[in-house]
């Protein structure tokens, strides 16, 4: 009996071991498969990582090359900027020299024309006068209208000092006048005296036009009273800019004493003043 029981127990144990061994074998095969899959994934990730590292290396090489190119471009730009600065400076110097030459030529031409009486000077004598001291005044030279078509090249004055004046050309339009030129002029005078100021471009005029002078600050031109004919009015700011209309009553209807200012203008006109 004992032998039979021992044989049965041995058989049962052998069957159990066989079943466990089969399970272990299956689990081992599963682990091998899982390890193989993980190894494949790792190798795939390593390959992707190597590709990214290669891409990064190529990009770094490109960046380095771009740095070299940028440095070269900066070098060329610095040279070009320096050359352009020298060129611009040269152009400015030439332009300044040309402007100064033209101004000198205009001044010499004015003196030449004045000496041989080809250029007309219209207005009052440029002399020292008895009165001065006004401020913010507009003086309209109604006594000396433009004699004919032509051009006004500048103004003359006996200036008591430095200051600003805005020269206006008024043209009759119906019963009123239109401001067709409005030129700011800066006077520089170290001492009182006669001075001529050339315009950078002339006023093209018609017969009957009249000149006006607005002094926004001190009136730096002297005058005599009870002589001559000039309309003048005190205005705090310039109401008559380019294109403005000036009523004739504001020019001719002034109840003021006659004044003669040391102002005139000069130019070339189709009809000479002394031929009228």
């Amino acid at each position: 009996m004992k032998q039979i029981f021992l044989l049965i127990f041995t058989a049962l144990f052998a069957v159990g071991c066989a079943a466990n061994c089969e399970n272990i074998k299956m689990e081992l095969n599963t682990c091998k498969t899982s390890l193989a899959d993980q190894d494949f994934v790792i190798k795939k990730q390593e390959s992707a990582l190597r590709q990214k590292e290669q891409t990064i290396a190529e990009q770094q090489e490109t960046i380095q090359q771009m740095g070299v190119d940028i440095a070269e471009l900066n070098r060329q730009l610095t040279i070009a900027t320096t050359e352009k600065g020298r060129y611009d400076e040269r152009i400015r110097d030439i332009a300044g020299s040309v402007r100064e030459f033209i101004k000198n030529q205009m001044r010499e031409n004015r003196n030449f024309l004045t000496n041989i009486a080809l250029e007309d000077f219209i207005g009052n004598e440029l002399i020292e006068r008895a009165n001065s001291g006004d401020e913010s005044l507009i003086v309209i030279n109604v006594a000396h209208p433009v004699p004919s078509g032509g051009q006004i090249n500048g103004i003359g004055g006996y200036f008591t000092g430095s200051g600003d004046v805005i020269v206006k050309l008024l043209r009759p339009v119906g019963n009123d006048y239109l401001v067709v030129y409005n030129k700011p002029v800066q006077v520089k005078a170290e001492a009182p005296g006669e001075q001529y100021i050339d315009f950078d471009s002339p006023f093209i005029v018609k017969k009957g036009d009249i000149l006006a002078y607005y002094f926004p600050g001190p009136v730096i031109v002297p005058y005599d009273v009870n002589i001559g004919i000039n309309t003048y009015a005190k205005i705090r700011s310039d109401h008559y800019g380019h294109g403005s209309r000036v009523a004739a009553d504001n020019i001719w209807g002034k109840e003021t004493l006659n004044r003669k200012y040391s102002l005139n203008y000069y130019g070339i006109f189709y009809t000479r003043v002394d031929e009228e």
Side-chain angles (χ1 to χ4, degrees):
M1 249 344 246
K2 290 181 180 181
Q3 292 179 350
I4 295 172
F5 179 77
L6 182 61
L7 288 174
I8 293 172
F9 178 78
T10 301
L12 291 173
F13 180 79
V15 171
C17 287
N20 289 334
C21 288
E22 187 65 26
N23 291 334
I24 292 171
K25 185 178 181 180
M26 290 179 61
E27 290 179 359
L28 182 61
N29 290 335
T30 301
C31 288
K32 288 181 179 180
T33 302
S34 178
L35 289 173
D37 292 340
Q38 290 180 0
D39 185 60
F40 175 76
V41 171
I42 291 172
K43 289 182 178 179
K44 186 176 179 180
Q45 290 177 345
E46 288 177 347
S47 176
L49 182 60
R50 285 193 297 271
Q51 290 179 355
K52 289 182 179 179
E53 289 177 347
Q54 183 178 358
T55 301
I56 291 172
E58 292 175 352
Q59 290 177 346
Q60 289 177 342
E61 183 178 356
T62 301
I63 290 172
Q64 291 177 353
Q65 185 61 42
M66 289 176 65
V68 173
D69 293 341
I70 290 172
E72 176 62 18
L73 289 174
N74 285 332
R75 185 186 70 84
Q76 296 179 9
L77 180 60
T78 300
I79 295 173
T81 302
T82 303
E83 291 177 345
K84 184 177 184 300
R86 293 294 300 274
Y87 177 78
D88 291 344
E89 181 180 358
R90 182 169 176 269
I91 291 297
R92 285 194 298 270
D93 292 341
I94 293 174
S97 299
V98 170
R99 283 194 296 268
E100 188 63 28
F101 174 78
I102 292 175
K103 286 182 179 179
N104 291 333
Q105 289 296 308
M106 291 177 64
R107 191 175 298 112
E108 291 175 3
N109 289 341
R110 184 199 68 220
N111 295 334
F112 170 75
L113 293 172
T114 302
N115 291 334
I116 63 174
L118 290 179
E119 194 173 34
D120 288 313
F121 283 69
I122 302 173
N124 300 320
E125 294 296 328
L126 307 184
I127 60 175
E128 185 177 4
R129 299 184 185 274
N131 302 283
S132 62
D134 290 328
E135 291 191 4
S136 303
L137 203 71
I138 185 168
V139 178
I140 303 176
N141 192 357
V142 296
H144 300 96
V146 173
S148 71
Q151 66 182 46
I152 295 176
N153 296 328
I155 62 169
Y158 185 94
F159 298 107
T160 58
S162 300
D164 297 320
V165 55
I166 301 175
V167 185
K168 304 174 184 292
L169 184 74
L170 309 182
R171 178 160 297 162
V173 177
N175 295 326
D176 298 328
Y177 287 82
L178 187 68
V179 180
V180 293
Y181 285 98
N182 193 66
K183 181 180 291 295
V185 173
Q186 190 173 44
V187 179
K188 296 181 179 179
E190 296 181 357
E194 178 182 341
Q195 187 178 153
Y196 295 96
I197 300 175
D198 298 314
F199 295 157
D200 52 3
S201 58
F203 290 0
I204 305 304
V205 296
K206 295 181 179 180
K207 182 177 181 179
D209 292 347
I210 57 177
L211 238 63
Y213 310 83
Y214 175 61
F215 297 88
V219 180
I220 53 177
V221 177
Y223 64 92
D224 289 323
V225 296
N226 296 324
I227 187 173
I229 303 174
N230 280 281
T231 295
Y232 53 94
K234 189 175 184 65
I235 54 176
R236 294 184 179 275
S237 59
D238 188 3
H239 304 313
Y240 306 117
H242 182 269
S244 299
R245 186 176 288 266
V246 184
D249 291 341
N250 292 338
I251 297 177
W252 299 99
K254 296 291 182 183
E255 297 180 357
T256 55
L257 296 175
N258 292 337
R259 286 185 180 183
K260 178 177 282 190
Y261 284 86
S262 290
L263 287 167
N264 64 24
Y265 61 93
Y266 53 89
I268 299 175
F269 307 98
Y270 303 148
T271 302
R272 288 197 42 82
V273 175
D274 55 11
E275 293 178 356
E276 293 186 339

